Amino acid sequence: DKVYILAEIRSLLASNPRLALRRSLADARRSFITYDELCSFVWYFRFKRGAGKWFTDQDPWWRGLPPSVRRFRQSGEIVHPGANPSSWEVVHIHGQELSWHFASWIPKWSNA
């Protein structure tokens, strides 16, 4: 099932549904994620064992609890559910704000 449809494809739906369908099917073969796609979903997150003991000790999933919930903002911030329902707060580790960016390369020693 396709979960995300690019805005430019959704905008074609009213004027040219066949073209919208063709472009959506072509887009389904895409092998990368876009900024909009990454930032439009709520993500359930856990560390892999390879991240190291400190990270897995902090990760609720490794303690038998539900995984952490995160959202990614286009500004580079990583946020998690706040104290108030429907609020999101920036994630901090050791007092430093976590941020993200798309990698421009993956090292050969990586398991990714």
Side-chain angles (χ1 to χ4, degrees):
D1 292 337
K2 189 163 174 139
V3 175
Y4 182 81
I5 299 173
L6 294 169
E8 62 193 51
I9 296 172
R10 287 193 311 267
S11 70
L12 290 171
L13 196 53
S15 62
N16 195 338
R18 283 189 174 155
L19 179 58
L21 176 61
R22 283 196 306 270
R23 290 202 178 157
S24 179
L25 292 172
D27 184 59
R29 293 187 291 275
R30 179 169 43 92
S31 63
F32 58 90
I33 192 168
T34 66
Y35 279 96
D36 288 338
E37 194 169 9
L38 178 70
C39 296
S40 66
F41 292 104
V42 172
W43 297 88
Y44 296 86
F45 175 84
R46 70 175 187 86
F47 282 105
K48 291 182 176 182
R49 180 174 278 122
K53 185 168 174 31
W54 187 88
F55 289 101
T56 56
D57 284 351
Q58 308 303 311
D59 188 340
W61 187 88
W62 286 96
R63 296 189 309 263
L65 300 170
S68 298
V69 177
R70 300 287 186 262
R71 292 196 79 167
F72 298 90
R73 294 184 175 158
Q74 287 198 356
S75 63
E77 293 174 315
I78 302 171
V79 294
H80 63 100
N84 298 324
S86 75
S87 70
W88 293 86
E89 298 174 355
V90 175
V91 176
H92 290 84
I93 291 185
H94 298 303
Q96 294 206 355
E97 185 176 300
L98 286 185
S99 61
W100 71 272
H101 65 276
F102 279 117
S104 59
W105 61 278
I106 298 174
K108 291 183 188 251
W109 47 264
S110 172
N111 292 330

